[in-house]
Amino acid sequence: MTGSEQEALLSAVRQGVAQVLREQYEAMRQTLAGLDTEALNWSPGPEMNSIAVIFTHMLGAEDAITATVLGEPIERDREAEFRVRDVEPAQLAARVEQVEQRALDRIERLTAAQLEAFHTPPRDRLGRRFLGSWWIVHVLEHNREHIAQAGLTRQLYQQRANHS
């Protein structure tokens, strides 16, 4: 593959990943639309997470993984993501915007060497060491899983509220 062919392929990968991320951020915004603090922090039951926890965790993972693939230092306290309480809608919306800007910027700067290299996020609880390409795909699938979970949590909250 020539250098220009490799760059064209990398550009196509960047564009595709960025488009999926933009769609996911829009899905997050739709999930958050119209929710108040109570709804955002409501949990369906024991050992189940609120939308605030789900999105805080998802955004923390995305931020840390994309930073790791690009070799940028980042601090993350995964356990703290599951302890958030009383999150305000504006606070979470701002976090979505911040991570969106950073992640899309990182994807735009992504190199073939970073995709081909092995990476381990700092303090990864599973000690995983995978190709950068794996990590980028993992971000997309991890996000989709949690966006769906948050959507279901929103439906459960609304159903509960409608039956009260």
Side-chain angles (χ1 to χ4, degrees), residues 65-161:
I65 291 169
T66 58
T68 296
V69 172
L70 270 80
E72 298 174 359
I74 190 164
E75 289 295 319
R76 178 184 181 210
D77 184 349
R78 183 183 184 278
E79 291 72 30
E81 296 165 4
F82 292 93
R83 293 190 304 266
V84 298
R85 302 287 180 269
D86 302 320
V87 176
E88 296 290 329
Q91 178 186 8
L92 190 54
R95 177 79 171 135
V96 170
E97 295 295 324
Q98 293 163 355
V99 174
E100 177 180 20
Q101 289 174 5
R102 284 194 296 267
L104 290 173
D105 175 66
R106 288 177 184 136
I107 296 305
E108 189 176 305
R109 295 183 287 119
L110 194 61
T111 68
Q114 291 162 336
L115 288 171
E116 295 168 350
F118 284 87
H119 305 275
T120 298
R123 297 177 308 287
D124 183 71
R125 65 190 173 86
L126 302 175
R128 296 170 292 183
R129 184 174 186 271
F130 295 118
L131 292 170
S133 57
W134 184 93
W135 285 111
I136 297 300
V137 171
H138 179 66
V139 162
L140 300 177
E141 68 179 355
H142 184 257
N143 284 2
R144 180 52 60 202
E145 172 185 331
H146 286 309
I147 290 166
Q149 181 185 14
L152 179 58
T153 302
R154 179 186 170 117
Q155 289 176 329
L156 291 170
Y157 176 81
Q158 289 172 328
Q159 184 180 55
R160 179 198 65 93

Side-chain angles (χ1 to χ4, degrees), residues 18-34:
Q19 181 59 38
V20 172
L21 284 173
R22 284 187 198 95
E23 291 168 5
Q24 290 179 344
Y25 294 120
E26 182 56 31
M28 282 184 257
R29 287 184 190 91
Q30 289 175 5
T31 301
L32 295 173

